[in-house]
Amino acid sequence: MHEFGLCEGVLDAVQKRAAGRRVAGIRVRCGVRHAVDPASMAQAFEMVAAGTEADGAAVEVVTVPATVTCHGCGTTSEVADPIPVCPRCGSADVDVSGGDELTLESVSYSHAELSRTLRWWPSTDSNSPMTGPVPVPRSCCCTGGQATAPTTVS
């Protein structure tokens, strides 16, 4: 099961990104040419991550297709099969590009971990409800770079 080898690299990236914070889940983009079975990937990650900050983290696998260009009929299209053939004419005489990536797309942290990363949000308005601790915006790690507005912790 080659998923173990892939998971070792993924865990290394997760640990660097988490910097000691408890990980609740990860999303990994795997090219179709890796022929990754999502259930096997989740099981392998569970075993590789045992005893680390990612122990017990949920694993979501997003499969990325490859692009094939057929030498016979000239068709260019995306394929989701690890053994690429032209979807138009069935020829195996194709050029293949993409579908070989392995990317840690996102890391999510446990609720308890987010509670420990609270900070004071200074209010400029004395009537503002935001006068106490608020969560650090999660844009840095799990919203794809898009900031989320801080909300008041009750």
Side-chain angles (χ1 to χ4, degrees), residues 97-150:
S97 62
D100 57 353
E101 55 269 32
L102 180 64
T103 307
L104 175 61
E105 185 175 86
S106 67
V107 176
S108 59
Y109 301 99
S110 70
H111 180 68
E113 186 61 44
L114 290 175
S115 296
R116 288 200 318 252
T117 59
L118 295 178
R119 65 180 170 141
W120 284 97
W121 188 272
S123 175
T124 57
D125 177 2
S126 61
N127 295 322
S128 171
M130 298 178 78
T131 57
V134 295
V136 174
R138 292 183 278 173
S139 63
C140 62
C141 58
C142 58
T143 60
Q146 296 181 1
T148 56

Side-chain angles (χ1 to χ4, degrees), residues 10-35:
V10 170
L11 178 61
D12 184 50
V14 167
Q15 288 179 307
K16 287 177 184 172
R17 198 168 189 182
R21 293 175 286 182
R22 189 93 184 120
V23 176
I26 64 170
R27 177 182 289 154
V28 181
R29 294 179 64 80
C30 293
V32 68
R33 292 168 57 186
H34 283 292

Side-chain angles (χ1 to χ4, degrees), residues 28 43 60 89 132 142:
V28 181
Q43 182 181 23
E60 180 182 353
C89 70
C142 58

Side-chain angles (χ1 to χ4, degrees), residues 20-86:
R21 293 175 286 182
R22 189 93 184 120
V23 176
I26 64 170
R27 177 182 289 154
V28 181
R29 294 179 64 80
C30 293
V32 68
R33 292 168 57 186
H34 283 292
V36 167
D37 174 61
S40 295
M41 184 79 158
Q43 182 181 23
F45 190 79
E46 180 181 342
M47 296 174 104
V48 169
T52 71
E53 59 267 64
D55 193 352
V59 177
E60 180 182 353
V61 175
V62 177
T63 303
V64 180
T67 301
V68 297
T69 302
C70 181
H71 292 157
C73 70
T75 298
T76 298
S77 58
E78 289 186 341
V79 294
D81 194 323
I83 303 172
V85 295
C86 176

